[in-house]
Amino acid sequence: MDALTRCLLKKPFNQTSIKDIAAAAKINHGMLHYYYKSKEDILLNYIEFVIEDYKTIFEDWMASKTPDFKDPEDMLRACLDFAYHRITSNRDLSKIFIEFQELAIYNPKIKKKLRKAYSEWIETVHILLTRACKEEASVPHISAGLVAFSEGISLLSLILDKDDAEIKKLFKAFQEQFIQYFMKSITQ
């Protein structure tokens, strides 16, 4: 999986061969054929790997930080910061997943895997927001909106080639507006 990451950072998936992936992994390409049916199968397993890896990272971080949260606002701020630093501002991850989004338009198997990835991310945000408040009505929409905004920031930072300080400032401004809105909505 790490070898595929290295390959995808050099050239697009459709220009990456199984031999390229095997060379990056320092194994014989026949070994990849033994474990995977096709290059698409490697990609589908890669997406699953990334989903599980980031879920584990977040769950471990959350378990270690939960006692530190003073209140729901503190938890939201910390979680948004975590998501920004680990996912949204990760240019390598963004570059790879933006390509996968394009592939998903034409490939139902990739679309299904990405749908799973985004559904799980939205569900994680939903769980966090529900922990922060008992008000359930708007939480699903807000969760999806936060994920969409984070993905948009990732895309903008790559396409507009904005420097990290400018993107971080934009994200922080949104984060503060979101937290104010959300905290106000749950206290009314």
Side-chain angles (χ1 to χ4, degrees):
M1 297 299 113
D2 291 336
L4 181 56
T5 298
R6 290 190 301 276
C7 289
L8 293 174
L9 292 174
K10 291 179 184 172
K11 59 185 175 180
F13 182 72
N14 65 355
Q15 293 176 17
T16 301
S17 69
I18 289 181
K19 286 183 180 182
D20 293 333
I21 299 165
K26 297 179 179 154
I27 61 172
N28 182 295
H29 74 279
M31 183 73 78
L32 284 178
H33 285 292
Y34 180 78
Y35 288 102
Y36 301 100
K37 297 174 198 165
S38 64
K39 190 170 84 164
E40 179 187 78
D41 190 35
I42 296 170
L43 176 62
L44 296 172
N45 279 278
Y46 178 83
I47 294 169
E48 190 69 35
F49 169 79
V50 171
I51 293 168
E52 293 306 316
D53 189 42
Y54 276 89
K55 273 177 56 177
T56 301
I57 290 168
F58 180 73
E59 288 166 357
D60 291 349
W61 175 83
M62 192 67 179
S64 73
K65 294 293 182 187
T66 298
D68 299 340
F69 300 138
K70 295 175 253 150
D71 55 36
E73 184 175 334
D74 188 40
M75 182 192 73
L76 285 173
R77 186 169 273 108
C79 290
L80 289 169
D81 283 342
F82 177 88
Y84 176 77
H85 291 290
R86 291 293 185 99
I87 299 170
T88 304
S89 67
N90 182 333
R91 287 180 171 250
D92 290 346
L93 182 67
S94 296
K95 180 180 178 182
I96 291 168
F97 266 75
I98 287 168
E99 180 183 0
F100 293 169
Q101 291 166 358
E102 179 187 1
L103 294 171
I105 293 170
Y106 304 103
N107 185 316
K109 290 179 185 175
I110 297 171
K111 185 176 186 174
K112 183 178 178 182
K113 282 289 184 184
L114 285 184
R115 192 177 284 152
K116 178 184 181 200
Y118 288 113
S119 294
E120 289 191 20
W121 189 11
I122 291 166
E123 180 61 25
T124 299
V125 173
H126 181 264
I127 290 167
L128 288 171
L129 294 179
T130 303
R131 282 186 193 166
C133 73
K134 301 299 176 218
E135 190 262 313
E136 280 273 338
S138 62
V139 168
H141 302 297
I142 292 171
S143 302
L146 279 172
V147 169
F149 180 78
S150 295
E151 283 296 286
I153 290 289
S154 294
L155 177 63
L156 282 176
S157 70
L158 288 173
I159 301 300
L160 298 179
D161 208 20
K162 297 286 186 178
D163 72 355
D164 291 335
E166 189 176 346
I167 295 296
K168 187 174 184 174
K169 184 178 175 183
L170 173 63
F171 189 83
K172 280 288 189 188
F174 172 80
Q175 176 179 309
E176 290 308 312
Q177 289 293 317
F178 168 76
I179 290 171
Q180 285 177 17
Y181 165 79
F182 187 74
M183 296 310 294
K184 184 179 175 183
S185 74
I186 66 172
T187 57
Q188 290 180 347

